[in-house]
Amino acid sequence: MSSRDAVPEWINPLRDERDKRLPRIAGPCSVVIFGVTGDLARKKLLPAVYDLASRGLLPPGFGLVGFGRRDWSHEDFAAEALKSIRDHARTPFREHVWEQLCSGMRFVNSSFGDADGYQRLTETLAELDSSRGTAGNHAFYLSIPPSAFPVVLEQLCGSGLANGTGSQWRRVIIEKPFGHDLASAKELNKIVNNVFGEDSVFRIDHYLGKETVQNILALRFANQLFDPLLNAHYVDHVQITMAEDIGLGGRAGYYDGIGAARDVIQNHLIQLLAMIAMEEPVSFSSREVRTEKVKVLSATKLVQPLDETTARGQYSAGWQGAEPVVGLLEEAGFSPESTTETYAAITVDVQTRRWAGVPFFLRTGKRLGRRVTEVAVVFKRAPHLPFDATMTEDLGQNALVIRVQPDEGVTMRFGSKVPGSSMEVRDVNMDFNYGEAFTESSPEAYERLILDVLLGFPSWFPINEEVELSWEILDPVLERWAADGKPEAYESGGWGPESANEMLRRTGREWRRP
Ligand code: BG6
């Protein structure tokens, strides 16, 4: 572990070797949320902060500051926060937890570019330091459009807020999108790193905070059973799927012109690929985990030709469950000429000794048949089957499926003898389900990640190099699509455009129907 990954010393007295699940509790600090009136803050961030408080993982004097243009008093901010907590928190509402949290809540009314506002923020944080003991440790959460990053960073720098003195820490949390392509990501990283050292930058990819995603490393590196088989000798291909049934109503402002590849493949799916394909890190310290991720992403290349190995689509009208739904072009706020893709699929090859020649198929889409995210490792067929051919007609390929959500768990698919007098073999599933195996419920991704920021534990946050490598992988596809005109329409409620099926069929394979 590097020194910055070490568990803070003051936690140590709580450590009890007999109970490995003892919580990690954040030290004295506060969080400032920029963009606190936005959807993300309302639905995820404020509830996650409450859930951390409710689990006793925040210090008693924790400070929470909202920064925004609304003409709110501290009490107005608290009232809004209370509403979103009541609507969206994971843990039950408890008055004393709320009272404690609420007493440390402040609101600073300012536009992002107003130096006076940052002066008032400085005073507010100093007041929290003295009244709540937040000790000059402050995290700045930028839940704002990327266009506002430069001005906020500049002001944080100019006001002196970006730098603590002595042992105080200052950290910045950045929400995606991390740029629009490689060039803009580099530019953004430069702007951020001019103000905060990379050690103090926490880029959120909330998929890395999911229990089932972190479990990929446990599955691979805590067991002897799986990882020895994860290589080109045994694996035929890997399918990484993130399917959503929701549409884009209400999200035109963010999504039009962005599309599925930038929204999901560049970050969540490429991170899932890194987790399943990376080599074993020396430890789970941020340096070691990120070193392995950077290595595997550097080796990841698009399979050519892109016309045959990628696919994109745009949902048209159809059904979501029993409800008729409109197509993207009829959704409010989208241009009727929009060429934004709502489905994207790519094929990559990880050019390492372990994986070379094993295609990784990545796909994501809106308004598909069902919400499901999974990583499916599909194995080659056994080299020889000593059975009468008719006995194995229903035998498919073995598969190891990591079910990220919503039905969290792991499935192994393999052939088994059908009970009876003949030697017929058929596929069966062996399942592990979180709900059945554990009594503990999983924290929300944002809960875990916000706590990691406060603890100074950056392993599950992509560094600038990972972000740039992900764009490097994706950029040629985006350029090709930009030159190609309209994406293919696919019906809402189905499984995406025909070109995506064709993309796999060409290789002699098929998408899984989760
Ligand atoms: C976000 C994307 O990052 O992830 C959204 O911007 C998507 O478009 C969301 O809906 C999905 O997150 P989850 O955790 O519900 O799978």
Side-chain angles (χ1 to χ4, degrees):
M1 270 192 183
S2 71
S3 59
R4 68 181 297 263
D5 289 340
V7 175
E9 259 174 36
W10 62 270
I11 295 185
N12 287 343
L14 291 175
R15 293 246 147 186
D16 177 341
E17 286 307 310
R18 286 162 306 173
D19 189 350
K20 305 275 189 295
R21 292 163 301 155
L22 267 180
R24 305 173 305 154
I25 304 171
C29 63
S30 66
V31 172
V32 181
I33 303 181
F34 291 83
V36 75
T37 56
D39 232 32
L40 183 74
R42 218 163 34 81
K43 292 196 180 142
K44 298 286 184 189
L45 307 185
L46 294 167
V49 168
Y50 170 83
D51 287 327
L52 287 172
S54 165
R55 290 164 62 207
L57 302 181
L58 295 183
F62 180 74
L64 179 62
V65 182
F67 187 104
R69 259 173 307 226
R70 298 281 165 96
D71 188 16
W72 280 352
S73 62
H74 301 319
E75 291 72 26
D76 295 333
F77 172 44
E80 292 293 325
L82 177 60
K83 209 148 60 168
S84 70
I85 288 164
R86 282 198 182 274
D87 288 349
H88 301 288
R90 183 178 67 87
T91 56
F93 185 78
R94 284 181 298 167
E95 201 62 44
H96 70 278
V97 174
W98 166 248
E99 290 298 329
Q100 176 81 11
L101 187 62
C102 177
S103 58
M105 290 176 72
R106 309 282 186 272
F107 190 75
V108 175
N109 162 235
S110 170
S111 67
F112 293 150
D114 178 8
D116 282 353
Y118 292 79
Q119 182 52 39
R120 275 179 279 124
L121 178 59
T122 307
E123 287 158 16
T124 303
L125 291 175
E127 181 264 312
L128 284 173
D129 284 347
S130 65
S131 69
R132 310 271 299 173
T134 46
N137 298 325
H138 306 304
F140 302 101
Y141 200 125
L142 308 195
S143 176
I144 54 180
S147 57
F149 286 163
V151 63
V152 172
L153 288 164
E154 194 182 306
Q155 293 289 346
L156 286 174
C157 181
S159 58
L161 281 167
N163 295 304
T165 52
S167 61
Q168 297 177 344
W169 55 254
R170 302 292 158 94
R171 297 176 185 145
V172 68
I173 310 169
I174 304 184
E175 270 294 334
K176 72 176 192 83
F178 313 123
H180 195 74
D181 53 17
L182 178 59
S184 55
K186 281 187 168 164
E187 188 57 35
L188 178 62
N189 280 332
K190 208 158 78 196
I191 293 170
V192 174
N193 290 142
N194 274 342
V195 179
F196 287 94
E198 187 59 21
D199 276 2
S200 305
V201 181
F202 291 73
R203 295 175 188 79
I204 295 253
D205 183 319
H206 77 281
Y207 265 62
L208 291 176
K210 290 186 189 269
E211 192 64 56
T212 41
V213 173
Q214 297 194 354
N215 189 42
I216 295 175
L217 300 191
L219 190 81
R220 294 186 56 201
F221 303 130
N223 299 300
Q224 179 69 343
L225 188 56
F226 306 107
D227 207 58
L229 296 181
L230 297 188
N231 60 57
H233 294 296
Y234 301 107
V235 175
D236 177 72
H237 70 280
V238 178
Q239 295 188 18
I240 303 180
T241 299
M242 177 186 159
E244 293 182 282
D245 53 2
I246 52 169
L248 287 154
R251 288 191 75 200
Y254 161 73
Y255 203 91
D256 204 9
I258 296 274
R262 288 188 175 93
D263 182 42
V264 167
I265 294 187
Q266 185 272 337
N267 38 77
H268 308 325
L269 296 198
I270 290 186
Q271 285 293 330
L272 286 177
L273 173 133
M275 297 290 266
I276 194 73
M278 70 193 254
E279 294 303 319
E280 181 181 295
V282 173
S283 74
F284 289 113
S285 77
S286 60
R287 189 161 55 93
E288 309 295 359
V289 170
R290 288 151 148 191
T291 300
E292 293 306 333
K293 276 166 59 191
V294 165
K295 260 168 61 186
V296 79
L297 294 179
S298 309
T300 302
K301 309 287 172 202
L302 287 167
V303 175
Q304 303 282 347
L306 297 182
D307 289 346
E308 296 182 5
T309 59
T310 69
R312 67 183 172 136
Q314 190 182 68
Y315 66 80
S316 57
W319 295 85
Q320 183 187 6
E323 294 286 314
V325 289
V326 299
L328 182 85
L329 300 181
E330 292 89 55
E331 297 277 20
F334 282 89
S335 149
E337 305 299 314
S338 175
T339 58
T340 301
E341 85 280 356
T342 57
Y343 180 104
I346 65 170
T347 313
V348 296
D349 182 27
V350 178
Q351 297 180 353
T352 60
R353 172 174 283 247
R354 186 196 275 264
W355 291 113
V358 177
F360 284 70
F361 302 111
L362 279 53
R363 66 171 163 166
T364 183
K366 303 278 185 196
R367 281 268 190 256
L368 299 183
R370 193 158 95 73
R371 172 175 180 251
V372 61
T373 301
E374 63 169 39
V375 178
V377 179
V378 181
F379 290 88
K380 293 180 174 171
R381 289 182 191 278
H384 174 66
L385 292 174
F387 302 85
D388 187 295
T390 58
M391 294 292 143
T392 53
E393 278 168 352
D394 292 329
L395 177 64
Q397 286 167 269
N398 296 166
L400 172 69
V401 184
I402 294 154
R403 304 192 316 265
V404 173
Q405 63 188 29
D407 173 25
E408 303 175 336
V410 179
T411 299
M412 271 165 72
R413 189 181 66 192
F414 52 89
S416 182
K417 180 178 170 310
V418 179
S421 49
S422 69
M423 222 349 157
E424 188 185 350
V425 182
R426 200 187 291 162
D427 285 334
V428 293
N429 284 335
M430 201 154 89
D431 275 343
F432 146 59
N433 285 300
Y434 274 80
E436 286 167 17
F438 297 111
T439 48
E440 300 90 338
S441 69
S442 302
E444 275 279 325
Y446 277 98
E447 256 174 273
R448 187 191 312 266
L449 294 176
I450 291 173
L451 182 62
D452 279 352
V453 174
L454 304 183
L455 292 170
F457 185 77
S459 295
W460 310 118
F461 298 83
I463 46 167
N464 46 13
E465 231 180 314
E466 285 168 71
V467 169
E468 290 175 17
L469 284 165
S470 308
W471 284 116
E472 216 169 297
I473 296 167
L474 203 58
D475 263 7
V477 181
L478 299 171
E479 281 160 24
R480 167 66 62 98
W481 288 351
D484 270 1
K486 260 193 150 356
E488 180 189 340
Y490 64 93
E491 197 178 335
S492 288
W495 280 99
E498 188 43 39
S499 54
N501 295 331
E502 190 51 34
M503 167 183 142
L504 251 71
R505 227 175 275 135
R506 233 178 247 123
T507 73
R509 301 177 177 94
E510 279 189 353
W511 289 111
R512 286 168 46 80
R513 282 288 146 92

